[in-house]
Amino acid sequence: GDVLFWGESMCDYTMFKLTTRDGKLSAKDSLVTALNLLQSRSSSSRCGDTLDTKMVMANLLTELSRILELEIKNAIEVGENPHAQYTDAVNAISEAVAILQDCGGGMDYVNVLMAKAMLMHKDPSAIGDPRPGLRVIKEIIFEAETEAERIYTVACVSSINPLTTSLPAARLLAAVKNARAGCLLEIAHAEKVLEHVDRENNRPDFPSIQGVDATAILAFLDDSAPE
């Protein structure tokens, strides 16, 4: 109880700092200090991490990732390389995902997975073919969808008429499915845009003569290529 209240108060305090002048740096420092305190408390406790402590750590890590996202945006605006901030943000949100997964999942787990997927959309180093990154994001969203479906199934069991009830679990599942559809559309668009590049990369080498039109050979190779 006390640790949950402390964690919520710390998140509120951080949000307040973000609204103040020059408060972003001190907000991050406060979160890092709080996380170090929790980790120290956990390592010195005979019982190890309690569920409450883990949940608070996950919430603080998620908040830290959000602050680092702001730093990424600010770095890009002033022409700086935000790679370090992005790496720290991904590490923070990934640790939050692992903690919540260890806690048994739940709606917070789904929300943090979706936050990680949205963060990876903002990778400042992403250049060239976007499909590898999009496929990683797709797998994260699929994991979130699986958990959201489990939560919805459990909620329906306890609901008298789930089809006419606006369950938070139903809204969460709908949001995840919408994100999955968006990701699949992005992948399909990238496939279409890069279709010509893929075709060229998949063509086998063949002997050519300078000045001789190879259009017919290229067409034959393209038609013969496996789907």
Side-chain angles (χ1 to χ4, degrees):
D2 289 343
V3 70
L4 284 175
F5 176 74
W6 177 80
E8 290 172 358
S9 299
M10 178 57 66
C11 287
D12 290 341
Y13 177 59
T14 300
M15 291 180 66
F16 167 74
K17 278 193 169 185
L18 288 175
T19 64
T20 63
R21 183 179 179 182
D22 299 327
K24 294 177 182 178
L25 181 60
S26 60
K28 184 175 74 172
D29 290 342
S30 297
L31 282 174
V32 172
T33 300
L35 285 165
N36 290 337
L37 179 62
L38 277 178
Q39 290 169 348
S40 176
R41 179 178 182 271
S42 300
S43 61
S44 62
S45 173
R46 294 180 181 178
C47 300
D49 291 341
T50 65
L51 181 61
D52 285 353
T53 301
K54 288 181 177 180
M55 295 295 290
V56 169
M57 286 186 66
N59 288 339
L60 294 180
L61 285 163
T62 303
E63 192 67 21
L64 177 60
S65 177
R66 190 175 74 86
I67 291 176
L68 288 164
E69 277 194 64
L70 293 176
E71 290 191 1
I72 293 169
K73 180 181 177 182
N74 293 336
I76 292 174
E77 288 176 352
V78 298
E80 296 178 354
N81 186 348
H83 176 72
Q85 293 93 328
Y86 176 76
T87 299
D88 289 343
V90 171
N91 289 339
I93 201 70
S94 297
E95 188 175 350
V97 167
I99 290 172
L100 291 172
Q101 184 178 36
D102 188 51
C103 291
M107 296 183 76
D108 284 344
Y109 177 56
V110 175
N111 287 326
V112 172
L113 280 170
M114 294 306 297
K116 181 178 180 179
M118 296 306 103
L119 172 62
M120 295 186 71
H121 261 295
K122 303 173 184 176
D123 184 356
S125 64
I127 55 174
D129 189 348
R131 290 173 294 181
L134 287 172
R135 290 185 184 114
V136 173
I137 293 170
K138 180 187 73 173
E139 292 305 315
I140 295 172
I141 296 175
F142 277 2
E143 187 177 348
E145 184 179 17
T146 299
E147 179 64 8
E149 286 176 340
R150 184 191 69 81
I151 295 169
Y152 177 67
T153 300
V154 173
C156 286
V157 170
S158 59
S159 177
I160 297 175
N161 192 350
L163 295 179
T164 60
T165 304
S166 180
L167 296 170
R171 296 194 293 272
L172 178 65
L173 178 58
V176 174
K177 285 185 175 294
N178 184 61
R180 178 172 70 96
C183 184
L184 292 174
L185 284 173
E186 285 188 79
I187 293 174
H189 176 70
E191 294 279 4
K192 186 65 176 177
V193 170
L194 297 172
E195 183 178 6
H196 179 68
V197 176
D198 290 340
R199 190 182 303 120
E200 289 185 345
N201 291 337
N202 292 331
R203 283 173 187 157
D205 294 330
F206 63 93
S208 60
I209 301 175
Q210 187 174 2
V212 176
D213 185 7
T215 302
I217 298 175
L218 294 175
F220 172 77
L221 292 174
D222 291 342
D223 291 340
S224 305
E227 294 291 336

